[in-house]
């Protein structure tokens, strides 16, 4: 057989420039479809969105598709040559062999990820079953490839090819639907695989449709230039629209990951100046009118009941159609029901900590390590209140290392029962607590876990078999327990104050997610809040309130002074008769990951701090948060952004004074830098050469490198600071310049690190580098300079800060240096950051790590680590 002919026949004519052209067309169609589907499912408000998003997605995906098609063509030609020279491969179609090679890593990764869940972890022969699953996936790819190849060969007329293309598009539409509704925002491997399948199918459809067309160099180059122009032009339109950016990030399936990977501009901060001026709220004349005191019940018991994952709109008192909460509803009818109550974070750990400290714990955790002493139970104990808590271990599930002080002290409750327990079984524990000794007054916190997934159907509370039905069944089961608890305590402890709320809500695909902990939309953030105080008339409070308000409110009810550092609002005035006006309530705030939220009674702003864009929702007209009106109301975005900015500044100011101790005033830019706010980069850079005291200028230089990122806008200020008379400022400025890819700064850092003595990469005896040397190494690593590896490897064993450890680990992985393997292996026993270590070992690909990765694959207790181990072994 003629090898050259085998190449031509095996490649089916799609070689060289033709492959590039087909890939460009298929990728462009996939991107345009992605953008148009996102627009159709989430209506936008401006022409920029309508034109920019599909254009940007089409151009970007065209470029990616062209690259993929060229790679596929090269593999196909290689397979054809192999078939021409080796009898073993003559029966294999070269296109199918190329497809198998491209999809083998994905299939292997998916095979192990598929069987990585806790329910199958103890399955005998699980690694072999994972390999079998991967083989079956590859077999499916091979079968599909053969079917498409034969159908294409049989479709000699344009009409038949059109039918085949339409069939592929039907499959693509189905995959789009599955990707959107099945396990949204969960199991990234699953959604990434579907996205890859969509892209591959669109390129295949383009190849079938263009089977008779050949792309010469001129046409392929023209298409490439057009795709590049569409990508850049569309991206420019998208970048000019808050609505478009948010929509691209949140709703597109193929283009969204590209948007997330793009560098973000410095977020616009109204009022932020070179010296870091803080934005403050405009004074409202009504704020000067003192509010009436709330009710006082100094001798009363207080029972705080929280229900895990209970969203407000599944409570009858909040208008839910099902009779899920008759006992909570009865309590609401004789107490105060707060219409818009928000948690501080959509996870139990941070929400509960905020509630029991009166502080915005997610923000506090960024500023300093909490000492665990600022808790409501500890303060109540000082005033003679007996405290008791009944909650599951899941309270400390998220970031347990940050919560260690609270976990180890049990929030300073005196009497504690920590276990997973049936809601009704909890009641006997409470009875035992009161029977154990004579208690004059008590504060109890009871956390019921039932509505948390997986959802169970309870006898007597049957609403159906769907997820929502079983979720409601769990709510009704807990409500019955709450009814028994309230009745028992009102009989045994008359005068008890009851507070019923939740740690967070639960999402059922309203915004493309399931469960909680992922977004700041109403279904995950808005919780019920009922406060029933004997003798206080029932009422409904319409304004926004927060879980962080509960600690000062409880202290106010018990007539105990509220510490000045508690951030929450005492809701007592809104329990008074007559109640304070709802418009005197301040906005509510929350955060998760890189997203932060501010809500008023009628509006809500969600900002992505990392990527620098926001979404605005009119809750009065659009309670389901379906229409982002940020582009239509820029003035409101600016005003609410200022509220969010002021809140962050106040948090930083209040907590920084704790550690300052000398009464000195910390510049706002320093406070914001400590919180990692990217908007502080410019004022921090300016502070380095300002007239501020030397300690302030030194901290500004350090924070510019360690906490925020030196940006191109800071280049002039960084260059000026490099000639500072202070060696510390000068040293940090050189590192900042290196992060900006300044050649002279990189060369200087390289010489400095090369001269630093090390005991060998990964050697535990190697001296741990100082902080500036560590960040100098990270700057070199970002520039792919191998001289960074010894310093980074020496720093990893002693690393304690989670963010820094992650930076070091990922930099070592990107270096692909075998010299880093020893340090990474030494880090494997540490739970925090283990997944990053496994991924880094996979990037390096050194065979000495194989046994350690295999051990993680078979025995690690975390699913994500096992899945990453599978991917690393596949590499």
């Amino acid at each position: 057989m003629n090898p050259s002919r085998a190449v031509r026949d095996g490649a089916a004519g799609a070689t060289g420039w033709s492959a590039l052209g087909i890939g460009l067309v298929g990728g462009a169609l996939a991107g345009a479809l992605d953008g148009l589907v996102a627009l159709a499912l989430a209506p936008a408000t401006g022409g920029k969105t309508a034109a920019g998003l599909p254009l940007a997605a089409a151009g970007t995906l065209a470029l990616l598709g062209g690259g993929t098609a060229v790679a596929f063509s090269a593999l196909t030609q290689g397979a054809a040559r192999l078939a021409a020279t080796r009898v073993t491969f003559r029966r294999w179609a070269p296109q199918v062999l190329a497809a198998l090679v491209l999809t083998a890593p994905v299939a292997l990764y998916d095979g192990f990820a598929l069987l990585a869940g806790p329910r199958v972890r103890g399955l005998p022969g699980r690694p072999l079953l994972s390999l079998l699953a991967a083989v079956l996936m590859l077999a499916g790819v091979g079968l599909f490839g053969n079917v498409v190849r034969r159908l294409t060969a049989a479709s000699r007329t344009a009409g038949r090819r059109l039918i085949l293309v339409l069939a592929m598009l039907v499959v693509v539409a189905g995959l789009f639907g599955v990707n959107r509704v099945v396990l949204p925002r969960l199991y990234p491997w699953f959604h990434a695989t579907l996205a890859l399948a969509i892209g591959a199918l669109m390129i295949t459809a383009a190849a079938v449709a263009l089977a008779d067309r050949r792309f010469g160099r001129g046409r392929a180059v023209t298409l490439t230039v057009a795709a590049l122009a569409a990508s850049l032009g569309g991206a420019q339109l998208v970048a000019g629209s808050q609505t478009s950016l948010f929509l691209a990030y949140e709703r597109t399936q193929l283009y969204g990951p590209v948007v997330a990977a793009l560098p973000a501009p410095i977020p616009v901060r109204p009022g932020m100046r070179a010296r870091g001026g803080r934005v403050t709220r405009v004074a409202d004349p009504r704020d000067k009118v003192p509010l009436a005191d709330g009710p006082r019940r100094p001798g009363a018991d207080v029972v705080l009941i929280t229900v895990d994952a209970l969203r407000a709109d599944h409570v009858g008192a909040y208008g839910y159609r099902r009779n899920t909460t008759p006992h909570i509803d009865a309590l609401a009818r004789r107490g105060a029901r707060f219409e818009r109550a928000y948690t501080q974070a959509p996870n139990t750990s941070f929400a509960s900590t905020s509630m029991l400290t009166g502080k915005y714990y997610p923000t506090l955790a960024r500023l300093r390590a909490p000492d665990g002493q600022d808790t409501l139970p500890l303060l109540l104990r000082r005033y003679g209140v007996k405290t008791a808590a009944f909650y599951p271990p899941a309270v400390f599930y998220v970031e347990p290392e940050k919560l260690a002080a609270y976990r180890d002290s049990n929030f300073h409750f005196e009497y504690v029962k920590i276990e997973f327990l049936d809601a009704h079984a909890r009641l006997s524990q409470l009875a035992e607590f009161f029977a154990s000794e004579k208690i004059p007054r008590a504060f109890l916190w009871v956390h019921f876990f039932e509505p948390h997934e997986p959802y169970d159907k309870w006898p007597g509370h049957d609403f159906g078999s769907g997820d929502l039905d079983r979720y409601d069944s769990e709510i009704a089961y807990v409500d019955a327990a709450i009814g028994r608890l309230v009745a028992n305590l009102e009989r045994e402890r008359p005068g008890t104050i009851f507070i019923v709320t939740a740690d967070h809500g639960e999402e059922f695909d309203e915004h493309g997610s399931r469960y909680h902990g992922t977004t700041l939309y109403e279904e995950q953030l808005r919780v019920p809040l009922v406060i029933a105080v004997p003798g206080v008339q029932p009422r409904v409070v319409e304004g926004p309130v927060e879980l962080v308000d509960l600690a000062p409110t409880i202290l106010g009810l018990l007539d105990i002074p509220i510490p000045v550092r508690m951030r929450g609002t005492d809701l007592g005035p809104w329990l008074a008769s007559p109640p304070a006006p709802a418009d005197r309530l301040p906005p509510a705030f929350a955060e998760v990951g890189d997203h932060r939220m501010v809500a008023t009674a009628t509006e809500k702003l969600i900002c992505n701090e990392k990527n620098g864009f926001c979404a605005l929702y009119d809750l009065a007209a659009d309670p389901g948060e379906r229409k982002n009106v940020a582009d239509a109301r820029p003035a409101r975005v600016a005003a609410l952004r200022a509220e969010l900015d002021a809140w962050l500044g106040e948090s930083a100011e209040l907590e920084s004074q704790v550690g300052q101790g000398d009464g000195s005033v910390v510049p706002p830019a320093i406070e914001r830098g400590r919180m990692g706010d990217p908007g502080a980069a410019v004022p921090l850079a300016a502070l380095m050469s300002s007239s501020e005291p030397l300690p302030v200028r030194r901290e500004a230089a350090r924070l510019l490198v360690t906490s925020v990122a030196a940006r191109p806008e800071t280049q002039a200020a960084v260059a000026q600071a490099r000639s500072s008379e202070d060696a510390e400022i000068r040293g940090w400025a050189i590192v900042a310049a290196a992060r900006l890819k300044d050649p002279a700064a990189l060369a200087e850092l390289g010489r400095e690190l090369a001269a630093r003595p090390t005991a060998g990469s990964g050697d535990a005896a190697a001296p741990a580098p100082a902080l500036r040397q560590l960040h100098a190494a990270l700057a070199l690593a970002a520039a792919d300079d191998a001289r960074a590896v010894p310093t980074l490897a020496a720093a990893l064993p002693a690393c304690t800060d989670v963010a820094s450890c992650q930076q070091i680990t990922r930099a070592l992985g990107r270096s692909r240096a075998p010299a880093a393997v020893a340090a990474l292996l030494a880090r494997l026993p540490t739970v925090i950051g283990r997944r990053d270590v496994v991924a880094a070992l996979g990037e390096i690909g050194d065979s000495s790590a194989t046994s350690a990765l295999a051990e993680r694959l078979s025995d690690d207790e975390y699913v994500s680590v096992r899945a990453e181990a599978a991917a690393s072994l596949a590499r």
Side-chain angles (χ1 to χ4, degrees):
M1 182 177 182
N2 188 328
S4 62
R5 179 166 183 172
V7 172
R8 289 196 306 271
D9 293 345
T15 60
W17 297 109
S18 287
L20 176 60
I22 288 170
L24 289 167
V25 172
L29 291 173
L33 181 62
D34 191 28
L36 291 171
V37 168
L39 288 176
L41 297 179
T45 58
K48 286 183 177 180
T49 298
L53 184 54
L55 185 64
T60 303
L61 269 297
L63 296 173
L64 293 175
T68 302
V70 169
F72 178 78
S73 173
L75 285 171
T76 300
Q77 293 180 64
R81 289 192 180 95
L82 191 63
T85 57
R86 297 293 179 91
V87 177
T88 310
F89 293 94
R90 286 187 181 176
R91 289 191 175 185
W92 291 83
Q95 301 96 325
V96 175
L97 279 175
L100 291 175
V101 170
L102 282 176
T103 56
V106 178
L108 189 59
Y109 179 91
D110 287 356
F112 279 93
L114 181 66
L115 296 176
R119 296 184 180 181
V120 296
R121 188 180 174 193
L123 202 63
R126 184 167 54 87
L128 291 176
L129 290 174
S130 295
L131 287 173
L132 177 60
V135 170
L136 289 175
M137 291 181 193
L138 285 174
V141 171
L143 178 63
F144 179 79
N146 270 314
V147 169
V148 171
R149 186 179 64 86
R150 290 175 180 176
L151 288 175
T152 303
S155 302
R156 298 185 181 277
T157 65
R160 288 185 177 182
R161 286 202 301 272
L162 177 61
I163 293 173
L164 181 56
V165 169
L166 290 175
M168 290 184 186
L169 293 179
V170 169
V171 176
V172 165
L175 290 178
F176 259 106
V178 170
N179 204 14
R180 183 166 295 278
V181 303
V182 177
L183 304 173
R185 286 201 178 96
L186 299 173
Y187 303 105
W189 64 269
F190 172 74
H191 296 288
T193 301
L194 288 179
L196 290 173
I198 290 170
L201 271 173
M202 290 300 292
I203 295 173
T204 304
V208 173
L210 302 172
D212 294 332
R213 184 179 293 274
R214 294 294 178 265
F215 291 84
R217 176 187 299 178
R219 184 172 294 177
V221 170
T222 301
L223 285 175
T224 302
V225 172
L228 184 61
S231 178
L232 295 176
Q236 189 69 22
L237 289 173
V238 170
S241 164
Q242 293 283 310
T243 302
S244 302
L245 281 169
F246 214 85
L247 188 61
Y249 182 80
E250 292 276 327
R251 287 292 181 173
T252 54
Q253 300 180 26
L254 310 179
Y255 184 58
V258 179
V259 175
L262 294 175
I266 293 181
V268 177
R269 293 288 191 267
M272 289 289 280
R273 297 293 181 261
R275 290 176 59 83
R278 181 184 299 109
V279 175
T280 55
R281 299 188 182 100
V282 177
D284 189 323
R286 294 171 298 180
D287 292 345
K288 298 180 180 179
V289 180
L291 298 175
D293 289 335
R296 297 289 184 262
R297 302 290 188 272
D301 295 328
V302 177
V303 177
L304 172 59
I305 302 168
T306 54
V307 182
D308 207 299
L310 175 59
R311 51 191 281 176
D313 60 358
H314 277 244
V315 175
Y318 288 83
Y320 194 46
R321 56 183 174 79
R322 284 178 170 173
N323 188 28
T324 52
T325 54
H327 299 97
I328 296 176
D329 301 344
L331 204 62
R333 284 193 293 271
R334 57 188 177 89
R337 174 169 64 82
F338 292 84
E339 184 65 21
R340 304 209 74 84
Y342 290 97
T343 181
Q344 267 48 74
N347 66 63
T348 305
S349 305
F350 285 4
S352 300
T353 305
S354 295
M355 180 181 70
L356 292 171
T357 60
K359 294 187 175 187
Y360 296 99
Y361 179 77
T363 301
L364 170 62
R366 296 171 187 255
L367 290 169
R368 61 184 180 87
D371 57 14
Q373 297 299 310
D374 299 326
T375 68
L376 174 64
L378 183 60
L379 188 59
L380 291 174
R381 287 170 61 178
R382 293 172 183 163
Y383 284 84
V385 179
K386 185 75 173 180
T387 62
F390 308 83
Y391 57 88
V395 165
F396 300 109
Y397 180 74
V398 176
E399 300 203 41
E401 73 286 349
K402 290 184 178 180
L403 293 161
Y406 298 111
R407 179 195 61 207
D408 297 342
S409 66
N410 302 318
F411 292 111
H412 292 285
F413 281 99
E414 296 171 85
Y415 184 97
V416 178
K417 291 290 186 182
I418 307 174
E419 58 185 310
F420 288 104
L421 199 63
D422 176 276
H424 288 266
R426 283 283 187 205
L427 303 185
S428 60
Q429 287 186 338
L430 284 126
E432 181 182 342
F433 164 71
F434 281 112
S436 61
E437 54 184 298
K438 293 184 178 180
I439 301 171
R441 58 179 180 160
F443 168 64
L444 273 67
W445 173 41
V446 186
H447 185 78
F448 294 115
F449 194 64
E450 268 76 4
H452 197 285
E453 59 85 22
Y455 318 117
D456 292 324
K457 184 194 298 186
W458 292 93
H461 307 288
D462 188 354
F463 298 100
S465 57
D467 280 356
L468 270 170
D469 303 321
R470 289 179 285 111
Y471 173 70
D472 284 345
S473 180
E474 297 256 49
I475 294 172
Y477 183 76
V478 169
D479 178 78
I482 292 174
R484 286 180 56 198
L485 173 60
V486 171
N488 292 342
L489 287 177
E490 287 191 325
R491 182 176 62 253
E492 302 294 334
R493 312 277 295 190
T496 296
I497 297 170
F498 293 98
I499 302 174
V500 179
T501 187
D503 52 353
H504 53 77
E506 191 82 338
E507 184 173 350
F508 292 89
D509 297 329
E510 287 86 352
H511 288 91
S513 291
R514 294 297 301 267
Y515 313 127
H516 55 267
T518 54
T519 74
L520 296 176
Y521 293 109
E522 295 284 280
E523 57 272 7
Q524 290 198 34
L525 280 192
R526 186 168 164 241
V527 296
L529 176 59
V530 173
I531 301 178
V533 182
V536 171
Q537 295 177 353
R539 78 278 313 275
V540 175
V541 180
E542 297 289 345
V545 298
E546 312 169 87
L547 290 188
V548 78
D549 298 336
L550 291 182
T553 300
I554 291 168
L555 292 174
L557 287 168
L558 297 179
D559 204 17
I560 295 174
I562 300 171
V564 68
R565 287 176 55 226
M566 271 193 178
R567 297 295 314 284
T569 300
D570 178 7
L571 301 178
W574 289 269
L575 299 174
S577 294
D583 60 4
R584 291 291 299 274
L585 284 163
F589 303 93
E591 57 186 305
V592 62
D594 296 315
H595 290 69
R596 290 180 174 131
M597 179 279 294
V598 55
T600 67
T602 59
E603 291 177 311
K604 182 174 173 183
L605 186 76
I606 302 174
C607 289
N608 181 318
E609 297 289 346
K610 178 182 177 182
N611 295 90
F613 49 79
C614 300
L616 176 66
Y617 298 100
D618 183 341
L619 297 178
D622 178 28
E625 299 168 292
R626 294 296 175 187
K627 190 173 184 179
N628 179 1
V629 295
D631 286 347
R633 304 180 186 181
R636 291 305 302 155
V637 171
L640 290 173
R641 175 74 254 192
E643 289 282 3
L644 187 58
D645 203 63
W647 166 68
L648 291 169
E650 290 164 5
S651 298
E653 180 180 19
L654 195 61
E655 296 302 332
S656 65
Q657 291 174 351
V658 177
Q660 208 66 13
D662 58 1
S664 61
V665 177
V666 180
I670 296 291
E671 300 165 359
R672 303 300 291 271
R674 291 172 180 173
M675 296 174 63
D677 183 354
V682 170
L684 281 174
L687 276 177
M688 293 191 293
S689 302
S690 69
S691 59
E692 292 285 350
L694 182 60
V696 171
R697 290 188 284 124
R698 284 177 171 175
E699 184 174 4
R702 175 176 58 80
L703 289 173
L704 183 63
V705 174
T706 62
S707 187
V708 300
R711 307 243 180 174
E713 294 88 344
T714 66
Q715 198 159 12
V718 167
Q720 182 180 356
R722 288 177 66 179
S723 60
S724 171
E725 60 185 17
D726 182 72
E728 184 174 340
I729 294 175
R730 192 166 60 250
W732 282 114
I734 292 171
V735 179
R739 294 303 297 264
L740 293 170
K741 301 295 191 295
D742 181 272
L746 287 168
E748 184 172 349
L749 292 183
R751 291 191 297 270
E752 178 184 327
L753 290 187
R756 180 180 180 270
T758 58
S761 300
D763 192 331
L771 184 63
R772 191 177 68 79
Q773 287 178 318
L774 170 60
H775 282 276
L778 288 170
L780 284 173
D784 298 323
D785 193 320
R787 289 175 292 183
V789 173
T791 300
L792 295 175
L796 190 59
C799 179
T800 56
D801 177 70
V802 175
S804 294
C805 296
Q806 186 180 66
Q807 282 184 290
I808 296 168
T809 302
R810 292 180 176 178
L812 288 173
R814 289 194 303 270
S815 74
R816 290 184 168 80
V821 171
L824 290 165
L825 290 175
R827 189 73 184 178
L828 263 182
T830 305
V831 173
I832 304 301
R834 183 182 292 162
R835 179 180 177 180
D836 290 318
V837 172
V838 169
L841 289 169
E843 282 189 88
I844 295 172
D846 192 275
S847 59
S848 62
T850 303
S851 59
L853 290 173
E855 182 180 352
R856 287 295 135 204
L857 175 63
S858 60
D859 295 326
D860 199 275
E861 61 268 37
Y862 294 100
V863 173
S864 60
V865 174
R866 298 200 299 275
E868 194 63 57
S872 293
L873 285 169
R875 296 191 194 105

